């Protein structure tokens, strides 16, 4: 049962979001969790690091499992997600921030790419409606 107004808002925003918006939310969450994990590593708070790097991995695994493999680009994305997961595991096991920082770089680049693609798609849909 959801009791907090914030949780109700979050649930509502997820339920009413487009696939593009949901994808960006996943990237934002992964980036946020990995940053928090890095902060835990830097402060030697290994429980915080482990928890948040694990949450980042869970999101990357969700991105990987939800790929539509009918597109040629999917195999490249799958490889990228697997590599990001490898980096997060390495950071967590070795308790070093560098692999997680590399992973954030890739996640931010992917997020920006998908944000731009969503804008282009939305703009082209708007033109179709106007010209239709």
């Amino acid at each position: 049962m959801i009791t907090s107004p914030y949780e109700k808002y979050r649930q509502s925003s997820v339920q009413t979001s487009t696939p593009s918006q949901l994808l960006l939310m996943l990237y934002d969450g992964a980036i946020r969790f990995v940053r928090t994990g890095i902060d835990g590593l830097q402060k030697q708070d290994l429980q915080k690091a482990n928890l948040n790097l694990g949450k980042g991995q869970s999101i990357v695994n969700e991105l990987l499992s939800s790929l539509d493999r009918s597109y040629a680009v999917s195999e490249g994305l799958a490889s990228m997600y697997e590599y990001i997961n490898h980096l997060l595991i390495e950071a967590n096991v070795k308790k070093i921030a560098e692999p997680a920082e590399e992973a954030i770089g890739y996640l931010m680049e992917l997020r920006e790419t998908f944000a731009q693609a969503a804008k282009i798609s939305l703009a082209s849909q708007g033109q179709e409606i106007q010209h239709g």
Side-chain angles (χ1 to χ4, degrees):
M1 172 113 189
I2 299 174
T3 54
S4 115
Y6 175 71
E7 283 302 314
K8 288 179 185 176
Y9 167 78
R10 269 190 33 194
Q11 183 180 22
S12 173
S13 69
V14 167
Q15 291 172 343
T16 59
S17 295
T18 66
S20 296
Q21 290 168 326
L22 290 172
L23 183 64
L24 294 176
M25 286 177 182
L26 285 170
Y27 280 118
D28 289 341
I31 292 165
R32 184 176 60 253
F33 287 130
V34 174
R35 278 192 178 133
T36 304
I38 290 170
D39 183 61
L41 289 171
Q42 291 169 339
K43 293 179 178 172
Q44 296 297 305
D45 183 343
L46 301 183
Q47 184 176 4
K48 176 181 176 181
N50 182 55
L51 175 69
N52 286 284
L53 291 173
K55 287 180 179 183
Q57 276 181 256
S58 293
I59 292 173
V60 172
N61 282 327
E62 179 61 30
L63 289 166
L64 179 61
S65 68
S66 65
L67 272 177
D68 182 348
R69 302 286 178 139
S70 65
Y71 296 100
V73 71
S74 298
E75 289 311 310
L77 273 172
S79 295
M80 181 58 106
Y81 292 148
E82 288 169 0
Y83 182 64
I84 291 169
N85 232 351
H86 165 77
L87 291 170
L88 295 177
I89 291 168
E90 182 180 9
N92 207 359
V93 169
K94 294 182 178 178
K95 307 302 179 204
I96 54 175
E98 291 79 13
E101 289 166 354
E102 183 180 348
I104 281 184
Y106 294 130
L107 288 167
M108 290 172 62
E109 285 179 34
L110 287 166
R111 188 214 182 277
E112 183 59 29
T113 300
F114 280 108
Q116 290 300 320
K119 285 180 189 174
I120 292 167
S121 175
L122 193 60
S124 71
Q125 288 174 1
Q127 288 175 347
E128 289 172 12
I129 292 168
Q130 291 172 353
H131 292 93

